[in-house]
Amino acid sequence: MRVACILLAVAAAGSRADADVELVEESAMPSTDAFFFSETFEDGDVFGSGGWKKSGNDKYQGQPVSVELDSGVKDTSMLFKSANKHYGVGSKFANALDVTEKDFVVQYEVKLTEGLSCGGAYIKLLKDEPKLDIATMDNESPYVVMFGPDACGDTNKVHFILRHQNPISGEWEEKHAKETPSPRKDTKSHLYTLAIKADNSYEMFVDLESKAKGSLLEDMEPPVNPAKVIDDPNDSKPSDWVDEAQIVDPDATKPDDWDEDAPKKIPDMDATIPSDWLEEEADSVPDPSAKMPGDWDEEEDGEWEAPLVPNPKCKKVSGCGEWKRPEIENPEYKGKWSAPMIENPAYLGVWKPKQIDNPNYFVDEKPSNMARIGALAVEIWTTNGGIRMDNFLVDTDVDAALAFGKATWEAKSTLEAQSDVSAKKERARMAREKKREAGGAINMAQVYWGDAMEVANDNPIPAVITLIVLLFTLVFMCSGSSSKGKKGRPTNAAEEKVEEEEEDEDEDERDPLDVRE
């Protein structure tokens, strides 16, 4: 009874394990009117309305991308459906974004419903120029910033690449952040934010948590500002330059006592045969239990021989058969002789080209004043399908963007957790139905218990009240059952005396003719 009470109490106490996810209702989308650019896909088919376009480049032909409802969170997002595809879509801004002397922020959500084994889920902010057209965009289209998750082979990072122009040469160069966070590759929604401040600092956030920060002037590779002096590209090493620091000693000769044929190992002459070594016994003997197969024909197959097995007499001794001395390193062994190396008297050192002033040297003290941005694009290749993107923001107010992310992504993350609980509940319900169909006392007990727990999880307040009543009842039943039967042992001398007096009275009242034990 006591064990049953304990088990019931433990089961009742654990019945609320799945009721800890707080249910929330779908919240309204915060206003995006104040942002320079935003896309929440609340208006449905952005391709039909012309807000977004698909590139007509041949590599993107038939790309299966559309705006669809994510039923788990009751929200629409852009879905890149299929694996092993090139995707090229984008939205051109009504006016170019100029961030001169301003902060800059770009933010968006990614949901990898099939994970990310090899491919990108990043975005590009395209450079504003007269020929900018999403319909003709490809992977060579000039961009200003590339940002977002990428994973394949040795690459596993959240990219931040800044394209910066050398004002002297006119060339555009990619500057990569030296330290980058790792992407989240599970199947939940995650928020990625890049903030570039007017003071040249930058910071990357994942799910509103700061994951990497640095300076455009100090933490980009290659550096934004080039070296003041460089190697002379026209300089070359002279043909007579000696850059070998050591050479073989031309005067060295092999010593007369150098024996190149001496063995590396020799028998240990100090070793002695163990006293229990059985030289007369073989390591292996014919298996005494083996028998010649019935179909063995000695005239055709030859004389049959039993297979060999380890000699049982050798198991408990050091060894059997011929004893051989163990080998040790030969102290006289020297190996192949070779002449030693000596310092090269003709050595001139490591040759280096002469240094000249860098003709393309410049100093940009404000790389945060990036080129004007004309569009946001998704130009990726991926081996994974089911990539969702949502809630794109481009603006100059970092705090406002993070606040928007907190209001939208956190609510979505909670809804996804609720969706997981619902899916788990449905799987459990289906499992119970199978047990219900199978029947049987144990199966039905598990079914009724599971049904009860589901009702309790869906109605937590009545369940808590019921649980309290049940626990008090169990405590009463368990404590009551333990008090029945033989009285407990007296705990002090007074109680012992009372008990002895009661026993004496019983003895006096006993019938003297009753001799039963």
Side-chain angles (χ1 to χ4, degrees):
M1 180 63 180
R2 179 175 297 276
V3 173
C5 289
I6 293 174
L7 290 176
L8 285 172
V10 171
S15 66
R16 296 263 306 138
D18 293 329
D20 293 335
V21 177
E22 181 182 357
L23 296 178
V24 299
E25 296 182 357
E26 182 182 2
S27 58
M29 176 65 66
S31 173
T32 59
D33 294 342
F35 295 114
F36 174 81
F37 171 82
S38 64
E39 182 58 77
T40 61
F41 303 106
E42 296 296 302
D43 296 331
D45 185 9
V46 294
F47 294 109
S49 65
W52 286 67
K53 291 183 180 180
K54 300 179 181 180
S55 173
N57 191 284
D58 290 342
K59 69 187 299 183
Y60 311 114
Q61 286 298 317
Q63 54 179 312
V65 56
S66 57
V67 175
E68 296 188 11
L69 177 68
D70 184 350
S71 58
V73 294
K74 301 179 178 62
D75 189 24
T76 51
S77 55
M78 183 172 288
L79 174 63
F80 302 84
K81 295 182 181 179
S82 301
N84 302 309
K85 288 286 186 179
H86 288 276
Y87 292 95
V89 300
S91 179
K92 188 174 181 179
F93 301 157
N95 300 291
L97 175 62
D98 186 349
V99 296
T100 302
E101 301 301 329
K102 299 176 183 176
D103 294 340
F104 166 81
V105 62
V106 58
Q107 178 173 274
Y108 70 113
E109 294 174 10
V110 177
K111 184 175 184 178
L112 306 168
T113 64
E114 298 178 10
L116 187 64
S117 56
C118 186
Y122 47 79
I123 61 174
K124 294 179 178 179
L125 296 165
L126 302 183
K127 179 176 174 289
D128 180 54
E129 52 186 10
K131 62 180 181 179
L132 174 59
D133 185 359
I134 301 298
T136 60
M137 176 190 71
D138 61 16
N139 61 303
E140 298 296 330
S141 297
Y143 67 88
V144 180
V145 170
M146 176 173 152
F147 173 64
D150 190 19
C152 196
D154 294 334
T155 299
N156 185 47
K157 64 172 67 176
V158 177
H159 282 295
F160 167 35
I161 305 174
L162 171 67
R163 287 186 75 246
H164 184 268
Q165 186 179 33
N166 185 312
I168 306 299
S169 67
E171 294 182 359
W172 288 84
E173 297 179 332
E174 292 184 351
K175 313 295 183 178
H176 297 246
K178 292 180 180 178
E179 294 186 10
T180 57
S182 299
R184 304 290 175 84
K185 295 189 285 188
D186 56 57
T187 58
K188 301 294 190 296
S189 294
H190 294 288
L191 184 68
Y192 293 91
T193 310
L194 169 66
I196 301 176
K197 296 294 189 71
D199 63 1
N200 295 316
S201 64
Y202 67 83
E203 190 166 8
M204 284 179 272
F205 300 81
V206 179
D207 295 345
L208 301 173
E209 294 183 6
S210 178
K211 295 297 183 181
K213 60 177 62 176
S215 166
L216 297 179
L217 293 172
E218 300 173 359
D219 301 303
M220 307 297 284
E221 185 63 39
V224 168
N225 294 316
K228 190 172 184 178
V229 295
I230 60 173
D231 295 340
D232 184 355
N234 298 318
D235 193 14
S236 60
K237 185 173 71 172
S239 59
D240 59 349
W241 188 275
V242 179
D243 51 11
E244 294 178 343
Q246 291 188 323
I247 59 173
V248 175
D249 185 356
D251 299 328
T253 58
K254 185 175 71 171
D256 294 337
D257 61 347
W258 192 285
D259 185 2
E260 292 184 339
D261 298 325
K264 189 174 183 179
K265 290 190 175 184
I266 58 174
D268 183 2
M269 301 310 295
D270 295 329
T272 58
I273 184 171
S275 60
D276 62 344
W277 191 280
L278 304 178
E279 289 189 279
E280 302 301 324
E281 295 288 341
D283 284 330
S284 300
V285 294
D287 185 354
S289 63
K291 296 181 180 180
M292 184 176 70
D295 59 350
W296 186 277
D297 188 339
E298 291 193 341
E299 292 185 359
E300 293 184 3
D301 301 327
E303 183 181 356
W304 179 81
E305 294 180 356
L308 298 177
V309 295
N311 190 339
K313 295 181 180 180
C314 303
K315 288 184 177 180
K316 296 183 179 180
V317 297
S318 299
C320 294
E322 182 185 359
W323 179 77
K324 295 181 180 180
R325 295 179 183 276
E327 291 191 330
I328 59 174
E329 297 293 330
N330 185 358
E332 302 299 326
Y333 174 75
K334 295 181 179 180
K336 189 73 175 178
W337 181 85
S338 60
M341 302 294 288
I342 62 172
E343 298 296 325
N344 187 354
Y347 177 61
L348 298 176
V350 178
W351 181 85
K352 295 180 181 179
K354 65 181 180 180
Q355 300 288 288
I356 62 172
D357 290 337
N358 185 353
N360 295 318
Y361 174 71
F362 69 93
V363 175
D364 182 357
E365 295 181 349
K366 296 289 291 185
S368 58
N369 292 338
M370 301 179 293
R372 289 161 58 92
I373 300 171
L376 183 148
V378 180
E379 196 285 314
I380 58 174
W381 175 84
T382 178
T383 61
N384 302 98
I387 298 176
R388 287 184 175 273
M389 296 188 185
D390 196 10
N391 292 333
F392 292 98
L393 286 185
V394 178
D395 200 58
T396 57
D397 190 334
V398 177
D399 291 337
L402 291 172
F404 178 85
K406 183 175 179 62
T408 54
W409 171 78
E410 282 192 345
K412 183 177 292 186
S413 181
T414 302
L415 286 171
E416 287 175 342
Q418 293 176 3
S419 179
D420 286 348
V421 170
S422 298
K424 180 180 178 181
K425 185 184 297 183
E426 182 60 26
R427 289 194 298 269
R429 187 180 295 118
M430 293 176 64
R432 291 200 303 274
E433 289 304 316
K434 290 183 179 179
K435 291 182 178 181
R436 199 190 307 272
E437 294 174 2
I442 296 179
N443 281 344
M444 295 310 297
Q446 293 174 344
V447 168
Y448 294 144
W449 180 259
D451 290 343
M453 291 306 98
E454 183 173 326
V455 172
N457 290 336
D458 293 339
N459 303 274
I461 295 178
V464 171
I465 296 174
T466 303
L467 177 62
I468 294 173
V469 173
L470 178 59
L471 287 174
F472 273 107
T473 303
L474 288 171
V475 170
F476 176 79
M477 292 173 60
C478 293
S479 61
S481 63
S482 64
S483 64
K484 294 179 179 180
K486 187 176 180 178
K487 293 183 179 181
R489 188 176 187 84
T491 58
N492 54 53
E495 291 177 349
E496 289 181 359
K497 183 175 182 181
V498 170
E499 186 174 274
E500 290 175 356
E501 291 176 352
E502 290 176 351
E503 290 178 353
D504 291 341
E505 291 175 359
D506 292 340
E507 187 70 23
D508 295 338
E509 294 174 358
R510 182 178 300 173
D511 187 346
L513 298 178
D514 188 356
V515 294
R516 290 175 298 176
E517 293 295 333

